[in-house]
Amino acid sequence: MSSRKTILLVEDDPAIAMIIRETLVGECHHFASVGSIAERNAWLDDHRPDLIITDVVLPDGDGIDSLRVDAGTPVIVLSAQNTLDTAVRATGIGSYDYLPKPFDLDELTASVRAALQRRAEPMTGTDPAQADSHGLVGRAPAMQAVYRTIARLASNDLAVLILGESGTGKEVVARAIHATGLRRAGPFVAINMAAIPRELIEAELFGHEKGAFTGAHSRNAGRFEQAAGGTLFLDEIGDMPLEAQTRLLRVLQSNEYSTVGGNQALRADVRVIAATHRDMRTLVADGRFREDLFYRLNVIPVTLPPLRDRRSDIAALVRHFVDAGRASGLPDRQFAPAAMQWLERYDWPGNVRELGNVVQRLAVLSRDTVVTVRDVETVLHENGEGGGAVAPADLIARAVDDWAREQMAGDAIDGKLHGQLEAIVEAALFRRVLRDVRGNQLEAARRLGINRNTLRKRLGQLDIDPTHP
């Protein structure tokens, strides 16, 4: 650094504070560390830092809500409360950056350098008291980039393009962007471009005058007019016909439009958020989507992860859907550990939407308050979700994959993986067969396709009592 800088770290975990200090000590001339709000306030009474790095949950209160600093002082927020609420509240205090724990030290160092090299600009337009999760559930690392992007969109009106597979929650994200942004007091208007007949798209978007076409018996306001002062969400934008794309591009370029059959120029006073499950660059390359319109919409891209890439969020999502169902009059349900593991290993081709539908059906169809694996398999099979239930062989393969990954993350595994897995699988198989044949080792050996003496030897090595398997 060309000038002397001072960093204040507010972190109550001594181990984390030490790691951050050791990482950043070479990045600045002064480094102070405190572990509570009281210590922070006392330090700030006598000093003016160039940067504050603060945790959210501190022993004596909330590190975000209680922080009051000069407008030009950049703040980097660290938090294990990795939700959209935290990200939005971080932007509400004008923070320069928000890093969820566990954070990458290289990312923290880069953020510190950037924050110290330029004066942070306070972010406005977000009322922390009004912030909540807005329907977004999960703390998986794949969701953290989404939360951070939504929070950074709160202070501007830039166009957003949400990308992701069907069922990943694109409209939920669009509503969260609207609810935390400058236009949250205005309307949120959504239109699904794939559901509108080609000949009616322009009338739906821009409205029409009386007599503009056959059946136009009165003037109708289009979605741009309905969304004035708020947000217009163009879902499945990749399915928009080329001729309508040309008209939309002109509106985005000029911020003006006219109704079908009308001559008066109307102002397009909306924030545009578009979404699609399609590969937009492929559509552009194939000539099915205008390149100039793509760049107009793709100012801030937000890519949503498929549910299979955020399996650690499935339990929280299940609880969320159970609670939502109970609020709507559905029975409350708990999930047996094995049933939850089944859900966490399933690939969910329909993503969060499919999971929500399955949880609601289970709430209605399960005979007991505790949902079992059989309940889950039955519901998926009967309703044809994702092509039916996962084959047992696939479940075994996924379980082996998970087990091997955990083992390889440990120490002293060389030469042991195969033997350990072989013993686990053999023991489970032998116990299952012995239970079915009521401990008859001759019949068990026949079903297994091995010699009886070999079976007896392996039972001894695995410490399995054939009479009580």
Side-chain angles (χ1 to χ4, degrees), residues 279-424:
D279 185 331
M280 292 296 288
R281 296 189 183 277
T282 298
L283 293 180
V284 170
D286 292 344
R288 290 181 288 165
F289 201 88
R290 291 186 61 116
E291 184 176 26
D292 42 8
L293 177 57
F294 168 66
Y295 288 119
R296 280 279 177 180
L297 296 171
N298 194 41
V299 177
I300 303 294
V302 179
T303 301
L304 302 188
L307 189 52
R308 61 183 175 275
D309 288 348
R310 46 181 296 221
R311 296 182 191 274
S312 61
D313 285 339
I314 288 178
L317 285 164
V318 168
R319 190 68 255 166
H320 168 76
F321 290 127
V322 169
D323 291 343
R326 186 177 64 249
S328 301
L330 297 181
D332 194 8
R333 291 288 183 258
Q334 301 294 322
F335 281 73
M340 187 62 71
Q341 291 173 4
W342 199 104
L343 295 176
E344 290 173 342
R345 287 173 178 157
Y346 184 59
D347 270 347
W348 298 109
N351 293 294
V352 178
R353 183 189 296 127
E354 180 186 9
L355 175 63
N357 291 339
V358 167
V359 171
Q360 288 183 344
R361 286 198 292 273
L362 286 168
V364 174
L365 300 177
S366 296
R367 297 180 179 180
D368 199 352
T369 57
V370 178
V371 176
T372 66
V373 170
R374 184 179 295 276
D375 293 331
V376 175
E377 291 178 336
T378 299
V379 165
L380 284 177
H381 178 72
E382 289 179 351
N383 291 278
E385 290 289 340
V390 178
D394 291 335
L395 286 176
I396 293 171
R398 293 174 193 171
V400 170
D401 182 74
D402 292 341
W403 177 85
R405 188 185 304 112
E406 291 177 3
Q407 297 302 309
M408 288 188 289
D411 299 323
I413 62 168
D414 290 346
K416 296 182 178 181
L417 277 180
H418 183 269
Q420 290 177 352
L421 180 60
E422 185 178 45
I424 293 171

Side-chain angles (χ1 to χ4, degrees), residues 133-208:
S133 66
H134 301 288
L136 291 170
V137 178
R139 300 184 177 183
M143 287 299 292
Q144 294 309 309
V146 175
Y147 294 158
R148 291 169 66 185
T149 301
I150 293 174
R152 289 168 178 170
L153 286 166
S155 63
N156 58 68
D157 242 359
L158 298 175
V160 181
L161 179 60
I162 304 173
L163 305 169
E165 296 177 7
S166 294
T168 49
K170 294 186 286 294
E171 183 167 345
V172 176
V173 170
R175 290 183 179 275
I177 293 171
H178 169 75
T180 57
L182 300 173
R183 293 175 173 268
R184 61 183 177 275
F188 178 91
V189 176
I191 178 172
N192 187 327
M193 307 308 298
I196 307 299
R198 298 171 66 93
E199 64 275 10
L200 295 179
I201 284 183
E202 291 194 21
E204 284 287 332
L205 284 175
F206 310 116
H208 63 78

Side-chain angles (χ1 to χ4, degrees), residues 1-3 5-7 20 22-28 31 50-53 74-76 96-97 99 104-120:
M1 299 291 174
S2 58
S3 60
K5 303 293 183 181
T6 299
I7 293 178
I20 294 176
E22 290 181 354
T23 301
L24 299 178
V25 70
E27 301 291 326
C28 61
F31 193 99
D50 296 291
L51 170 67
I52 296 176
I53 303 174
V75 178
I76 296 176
Y96 175 79
D97 204 354
L99 299 178
D104 181 84
L105 288 174
D106 289 339
E107 186 178 8
L108 173 62
T109 301
S111 182
V112 167
R113 287 174 178 171
L116 289 175
Q117 285 170 355
R118 70 180 181 89
R119 185 179 181 86

Side-chain angles (χ1 to χ4, degrees), residues 45-300:
D45 285 341
D46 300 321
H47 306 84
R48 288 294 176 266
D50 296 291
L51 170 67
I52 296 176
I53 303 174
T54 183
D55 195 2
V56 175
V57 179
L58 296 168
D60 50 349
D62 187 299
I64 293 181
D65 288 345
S66 61
L67 183 59
R68 300 293 180 268
V69 295
D70 295 339
T73 304
V75 178
I76 296 176
V77 175
L78 309 175
S79 177
Q81 313 300 116
N82 302 334
T83 64
L84 176 59
D85 175 28
T86 305
V88 169
R89 292 197 301 122
T91 65
I93 64 166
S95 66
Y96 175 79
D97 204 354
Y98 159 72
L99 299 178
K101 292 181 177 179
F103 50 84
D104 181 84
L105 288 174
D106 289 339
E107 186 178 8
L108 173 62
T109 301
S111 182
V112 167
R113 287 174 178 171
L116 289 175
Q117 285 170 355
R118 70 180 181 89
R119 185 179 181 86
E121 298 178 359
M123 302 183 84
T124 59
T126 299
D127 180 358
Q130 295 179 355
D132 57 30
S133 66
H134 301 288
L136 291 170
V137 178
R139 300 184 177 183
M143 287 299 292
Q144 294 309 309
V146 175
Y147 294 158
R148 291 169 66 185
T149 301
I150 293 174
R152 289 168 178 170
L153 286 166
S155 63
N156 58 68
D157 242 359
L158 298 175
V160 181
L161 179 60
I162 304 173
L163 305 169
E165 296 177 7
S166 294
T168 49
K170 294 186 286 294
E171 183 167 345
V172 176
V173 170
R175 290 183 179 275
I177 293 171
H178 169 75
T180 57
L182 300 173
R183 293 175 173 268
R184 61 183 177 275
F188 178 91
V189 176
I191 178 172
N192 187 327
M193 307 308 298
I196 307 299
R198 298 171 66 93
E199 64 275 10
L200 295 179
I201 284 183
E202 291 194 21
E204 284 287 332
L205 284 175
F206 310 116
H208 63 78
E209 299 298 324
K210 181 179 179 179
F213 51 82
T214 302
H217 301 299
S218 62
R219 183 187 186 278
N220 272 9
R223 303 305 173 91
F224 269 90
E225 186 174 345
Q226 295 170 15
T231 299
L232 177 60
F233 177 51
L234 305 176
D235 198 8
E236 298 302 347
I237 192 69
D239 293 298
M240 191 177 197
L242 279 170
E243 57 271 21
Q245 293 176 28
T246 301
R247 179 96 186 264
L248 176 61
L249 175 64
R250 288 199 299 268
V251 173
L252 296 181
Q253 288 173 333
S254 65
N255 285 324
E256 289 185 346
Y257 68 97
S258 59
T259 60
V260 176
N263 298 316
Q264 182 181 358
L266 303 175
R267 181 168 176 262
D269 181 23
V270 300
R271 178 184 208 156
V272 174
I273 300 177
T276 182
H277 71 282
R278 297 185 180 277
D279 185 331
M280 292 296 288
R281 296 189 183 277
T282 298
L283 293 180
V284 170
D286 292 344
R288 290 181 288 165
F289 201 88
R290 291 186 61 116
E291 184 176 26
D292 42 8
L293 177 57
F294 168 66
Y295 288 119
R296 280 279 177 180
L297 296 171
N298 194 41
V299 177
I300 303 294

